[in-house]
Amino acid sequence: MISPLLDLPGAVAGNGPDAPVAAHYGSLYGEQRTLAAGEGFVDLSHRDVIRVSGPDRLTWLHSLTTQHLEALAPRTWTGVLILSPQGHIEHSFVGVDDGESFTAHTEPGAGAALIAFLDRMRFMMRVEVTDVTDELAVTWRPRGAVEAAASWYDAYELVPRDQLTTYAAAAGPAAGSWAFEALRIARGEPRVGLDTDARTIPNEVGLVGPAVHLDKGCYRGQETVARVHTLGRPPRRLTLLHLDGSENQLPDVGSDLVAPDGKVVGRVGTSARHHELGPIALAIVKRSVPVDAQLTAGGLAAAQEVVVDPEVGLHVRPLR
């Protein structure tokens, strides 16, 4: 769904899954600094939005997902995953409950599969799942320091889609998806489906804590999460790459991550140009690769910064 905010002055459309919204409005680094200072907003209205209503909604979602939702307080944003029986991430969404319904957003194009899965799991529960993308648009407004883990989720807002232009006039200045992505990558927040693959488990990408609650009842895939948490050694780990800035390019999503001996040791995810750090990317790398190894990402030299520790379990991130 093409955003009406592409009509704002200076707007340049994004690419790939973010093509329906603005990549920037004329000042990539200025927009990053604005967001980092706790000002402005980002148009994410291309994301799919679903609503789960009914008296059993939180108990039902609690039983299906990685998050503790039974006693979720109204107006509290939270990250949620649905795993395969083997613990691989299948669905990811961010949602909030208003006391009557739970509304969540997910990646562009991912809503239909999520709704189909949830519909198959309803059984006799008093719940209803609907696609409300036509009604609601997603935006992101920083709440103070964007580096805080809690701000991964509590900075999102849901806006009536027919009021998006009015919202922008009041919430501005607008920042594009490139600025949003640069700050997200810098804080080590993975984007499911781009920074992950079909084999990814939550422990590998730092989602234990933000989107996986360790003190709740059984859910599909829990055994894998608990076992890796106890051992403290995820088979792969998310790393932040500092890329060679002498080349005017960024690696493509899915590019090979190569060790000095020429062996492929991982997969590159999203990348961006950060206003302070320069070109950066997220990648998943084998746990056995030393954290100080110099790697090559899509042909670019890359130094690592630890996001998920290979030994002591920094894959658990308490929300602050």
Side-chain angles (χ1 to χ4, degrees):
M1 187 173 296
I2 303 297
S3 173
L5 301 190
L6 282 173
D7 293 332
L8 291 179
V12 175
N15 52 14
D18 298 331
V21 296
H24 63 85
Y25 297 88
S27 179
L28 169 61
Y29 296 136
E31 291 165 23
Q32 289 184 42
R33 287 189 285 269
T34 296
L35 294 177
E39 301 174 354
F41 79 99
V42 181
D43 175 17
L44 299 174
S45 60
H46 60 317
R47 292 182 64 84
D48 290 354
V49 185
I50 72 166
R51 177 178 292 141
V52 182
S53 55
D56 295 333
R57 66 190 182 283
L58 292 179
T59 301
W60 178 63
L61 288 170
H62 178 92
S63 69
L64 295 175
T65 71
T66 59
Q67 192 55 272
H68 199 299
L69 297 174
E70 279 185 320
L72 182 67
R75 296 175 295 281
T76 300
W77 284 92
T78 187
V80 186
L81 302 176
I82 293 174
L83 308 181
S84 73
Q86 293 75 35
H88 303 139
I89 299 173
E90 290 191 341
H91 302 281
S92 172
F93 52 97
V94 178
V96 63
D97 196 81
D98 63 5
E100 296 182 355
S101 61
F102 181 86
T103 306
H105 60 87
T106 187
E107 284 289 327
L114 175 58
I115 290 172
F117 172 83
L118 292 174
D119 275 339
R120 291 197 304 270
M121 304 302 292
R122 280 193 303 169
F123 304 115
M124 300 298 292
M125 303 298 284
R126 296 171 297 169
V127 294
E128 182 179 0
V129 185
T130 54
D131 186 333
V132 292
T133 307
D134 290 343
E135 301 174 23
L136 295 172
V138 182
T139 65
W140 190 89
R141 295 180 72 179
R143 304 282 193 266
V146 300
E147 296 84 3
S151 70
W152 284 16
Y153 306 131
D154 64 9
Y156 288 109
E157 293 184 342
L158 294 169
V159 180
R161 190 167 290 276
D162 60 2
Q163 299 176 25
L164 189 57
T165 302
T166 303
Y167 170 93
S177 63
W178 284 4
F180 175 80
E181 289 289 282
L183 298 181
R184 175 189 62 79
I185 292 168
R187 63 181 179 261
E189 178 186 348
R191 187 169 171 182
V192 172
L194 296 176
D195 295 310
T196 64
D197 58 24
R199 297 185 296 119
T200 303
I201 63 174
N203 316 65
E204 295 176 324
V205 290
L207 289 175
V208 176
V212 178
H213 200 291
L214 292 173
D215 298 320
K216 60 163 289 184
C218 295
Y219 57 88
R220 194 167 71 158
Q222 182 191 31
E223 183 178 350
T224 297
V225 172
R227 181 175 66 251
V228 174
H229 172 68
T230 300
L231 295 175
R233 295 188 174 191
R236 301 181 299 171
R237 58 182 177 83
L238 187 71
T239 187
L240 176 65
L241 301 178
H242 294 268
L243 304 170
D244 178 7
S246 63
E247 299 288 340
N248 187 26
Q249 65 182 81
L250 293 171
D252 293 330
V253 172
S255 297
D256 287 340
L257 190 63
V258 182
D261 61 4
K263 293 182 179 179
V264 175
V265 293
R267 173 190 182 278
V268 183
T270 53
S271 58
R273 292 179 174 87
H274 191 273
H275 69 111
E276 292 180 340
L277 303 177
I280 54 176
L282 290 175
I284 294 181
V285 62
K286 292 180 180 178
R287 186 185 63 83
S288 59
V289 175
V291 296
D292 58 353
Q294 295 293 307
L295 306 173
T296 303
L300 300 173
Q304 300 180 71
E305 180 179 337
V306 172
V307 175
V308 172
D309 192 281
E311 298 295 339
V312 299
L314 289 183
H315 52 290
V316 177
R317 301 187 191 181
L319 291 178
R320 294 187 293 272

